[in-house]
Amino acid sequence: MDRIIVSGGARLVGEVQVSGSKNATLALMAAALLGEGETVLRNVPRLRDVDGMLQILAALGARAEWDAHDPNTLRILGDTVDRPEAPYDLVRRMRASFMVLGPLLARFGRGRVSEPGGCAIGVRPVDQHLKGLEALGAKIELSHGYVEASSERLHGARVAFDVCTVNGTQNVMMAACLADGETVLENAAREPEVIELAAVLTKMGARIEGAGTARVVVEGVSRLRGVEHAVSGDRIEAGTLLAAGVVTRGDVRVRGIDASVMQATIEKLRETGAEIELEQEGIRARAFDAPRGLDAVTAPYPGFATDMQSQLMAVLTVANGSSIVTETVFENRFMHVPELLRLGADISVSGRTAHVRGVPRLMGAPVMATDLRASAGLIVAALAAEGETEVNRVYHIDRGYERIEEKLRSLGARIRRVQGTGQEA
Ligand code: EPZ
């Protein structure tokens, strides 16, 4: 298995382009199933999760492939779907694939999708997805670990989500686009990825109002068409690179990101004492001293993103003073803490709250990545640590970061990947 080796202490300086958004892409790939004719997605990141969704689309019978001339362009044709079934072996590896159920149901009248099961950061049920699809008239059966859903024609309905769920909102919103009549989603997620999905669905011919607010109204139409769309920049990748700049007291510019979707992250980085400038098409972060301690609480958008929690915690491990980090979205998202302790951090956890007492320095050590964002946090900490840190199980990071070590190296980081064979990548 590949490992990433970081020799910490280098100040990061320079400019880097972020890739397209992983989470926006995954929802848009599911949405492509709804459109008659080809959908072309540009600025798509080359990630393990995207490959996972490609396998799911192929298993359904859709034609989904990378463009021959542009390595970040995907061409998807849903017209050829002939077996609307997403198998356990693929869904368990990439739970966002559960979002194909809404489009399959709405366009093809049925879908059989494996329940995703739990993951490292939490139980992550899909009850809200099913509640919404059932309200639209789907007949839902759970059998042998699969959700079997069918409907002659979905109809509009009022769906009040009990918890604010991003993929749940997206899944039901996609289904409602081809339902008969009006659907109202209450307590809908307001994430930028929900707004982007609604914008693309509208380009495809859908009628959606209120995306980005807690109340979304969808007027069903009879058919949707394939479209072309360039995926927006990844706000979590951008936040991770800025955090790397701050923890090394560097001067980093990220390009290809709309700062307006990162307000909460920018605020927190400013609270650490870093200077954050919003520029045309980008953000600049400069830090001159050790970060300041702060309190942070994760929350659904526009709150502070849970996907940025471990990276911010890594910055706070070397802060002047102490910090309180509270995780409210997922019940088990402190898996990075024991690994940060191995680097010499001083953190105690009680329930969903971590108390981080800043230390003067971290020391490199072998650590284990447990999930995508935990591994990003470990790399941010390793950049500030004295000596070498070896991050194991980096397949987690390849799920959501495109060529992370190359991007960090271009900013001056001493970082390299060692392939399972021991050869340098
Ligand atoms: C999306 O996951 C993102 N994934 C996650 O990013 C992100 O952490 C999460 O939203 C929150 O921002 C993608 O978009 C592919 P949720 P999602 O449903 O939609 C509970 C990353 O690192 N819940 O908003 O699956 C759930 O257990 C990933 O890129 C139910 O109880 O998250 C959680 O506690 C990780 N029932 C809370 O809601 C449901 O039916 C929020 O989860 C659905 C969710």
Side-chain angles (χ1 to χ4, degrees):
M1 257 187 262
D2 289 10
R3 291 162 290 147
I4 284 185
I5 314 283
V6 180
S7 307
R11 192 170 165 265
L12 298 196
V13 177
E15 186 166 313
V16 62
Q17 178 81 17
V18 298
S19 297
S21 162
K22 166 184 80 83
N23 290 343
T25 297
L26 296 175
L28 293 170
M29 290 174 74
L33 293 169
L34 289 164
E36 291 172 23
E38 189 178 61
T39 286
V40 178
L41 298 176
R42 301 191 187 288
N43 195 31
V44 172
R46 301 296 296 235
L47 301 171
R48 287 186 55 224
D49 276 10
V50 172
D51 294 337
M53 188 60 111
L54 275 173
Q55 288 176 326
I56 293 266
L57 294 179
L60 302 174
R63 203 194 68 219
E65 58 206 11
W66 293 103
D67 182 274
H69 309 292
D70 177 345
N72 291 96
T73 290
L74 268 181
R75 296 180 171 279
I76 301 171
L77 182 68
D79 303 12
T80 55
V81 165
D82 55 2
R83 47 185 189 280
E85 174 162 337
Y88 171 66
D89 194 40
L90 295 178
V91 174
R92 73 179 173 79
R93 286 196 220 130
M94 214 281 294
R95 50 177 309 107
S97 52
F98 195 74
M99 280 192 284
V100 299
L101 185 59
L104 288 174
L105 201 49
R107 180 156 183 213
F108 303 100
R110 67 186 182 88
R112 183 168 188 268
V113 177
S114 168
E115 288 196 72
C119 90
I121 65 177
V123 178
R124 303 184 73 178
V126 290
D127 60 307
Q128 297 298 305
H129 299 234
L130 303 183
K131 172 183 174 176
L133 296 174
E134 227 157 17
L136 269 59
K139 188 162 141 292
I140 305 255
E141 279 166 32
L142 303 180
S143 87
H144 307 291
Y146 278 76
V147 174
E148 310 226 358
S150 60
S151 158
E152 293 294 309
R153 172 93 201 264
L154 297 174
H155 56 72
R158 178 177 171 278
V159 178
F161 291 109
D162 304 309
V163 290
C164 189
T165 162
V166 180
N167 290 174
T169 299
Q170 294 168 313
N171 213 346
V172 180
M173 182 165 76
M174 288 190 275
C177 289
L178 290 177
D180 194 6
E182 179 182 278
T183 294
V184 179
L185 305 179
E186 308 273 11
N187 191 25
R190 303 156 57 183
E191 267 67 6
E193 295 78 26
V194 172
I195 298 172
E196 185 164 356
L197 175 63
V200 173
L201 289 167
T202 303
K203 257 201 266 186
M204 294 170 81
R207 291 161 57 189
I208 303 174
E209 299 289 331
T213 74
R215 187 172 186 278
V216 176
V217 180
V218 183
E219 185 62 45
V221 296
S222 55
R223 46 201 311 193
L224 296 170
R225 60 182 176 278
V227 291
E228 284 213 21
H229 176 72
V231 179
S232 62
D234 194 307
R235 62 192 173 101
I236 308 297
E237 183 198 4
T240 305
L241 293 165
L242 293 172
V246 170
V247 86
T248 61
R249 307 186 192 181
D251 179 353
V252 165
R253 269 192 172 85
V254 291
R255 290 262 173 257
I257 185 71
D258 169 3
S260 71
V261 301
M262 295 183 61
Q263 286 311 318
T265 296
I266 289 168
E267 259 160 48
K268 283 299 159 198
L269 292 177
R270 281 191 171 133
E271 263 184 68
T272 70
E275 266 183 34
I276 309 288
E277 283 162 54
L278 310 187
E279 302 179 332
Q280 190 68 27
E281 274 285 297
I283 306 168
R284 180 182 187 182
R286 275 184 294 173
F288 307 98
D289 298 310
R292 287 198 294 263
L294 53 81
D295 295 349
V297 179
T298 67
Y301 193 87
F304 178 67
T306 172
D307 295 347
M308 274 301 300
Q309 181 251 98
S310 63
Q311 301 93 317
L312 179 67
M313 188 186 286
V315 172
L316 299 173
T317 58
V318 290
N320 265 338
S322 63
S323 309
I324 304 280
V325 176
T326 307
E327 173 57 57
T328 72
V329 178
F330 290 106
E331 65 272 24
N332 187 33
R333 205 165 203 183
F334 285 143
M335 303 281 276
H336 41 283
V337 170
E339 302 305 309
L340 289 172
L341 296 180
R342 291 179 50 71
L343 298 178
D346 179 359
I347 308 169
S348 52
V349 171
S350 143
R352 292 198 183 198
T353 300
H355 189 177
V356 186
R357 287 166 289 275
V359 296
R361 70 189 62 72
L362 297 175
M363 289 155 305
V367 292
M368 192 69 77
T370 49
D371 62 80
L372 166 59
R373 305 304 172 184
S375 42
L378 294 177
I379 287 186
V380 170
L383 290 165
E386 281 173 18
E388 268 200 5
T389 296
E390 178 188 280
V391 182
N392 291 283
R393 293 195 191 152
V394 289
Y395 57 81
H396 286 294
I397 207 153
D398 294 335
R399 298 189 56 170
Y401 292 89
E402 189 177 29
R403 296 175 287 103
I404 184 85
E405 71 272 18
E406 280 175 34
K407 291 185 181 177
L408 289 169
R409 219 172 14 244
S410 75
L411 296 171
R414 295 189 295 254
I415 182 169
R416 66 192 196 279
R417 176 183 294 251
V418 177
Q419 284 166 335
T421 55
Q423 259 182 303
E424 294 249 339

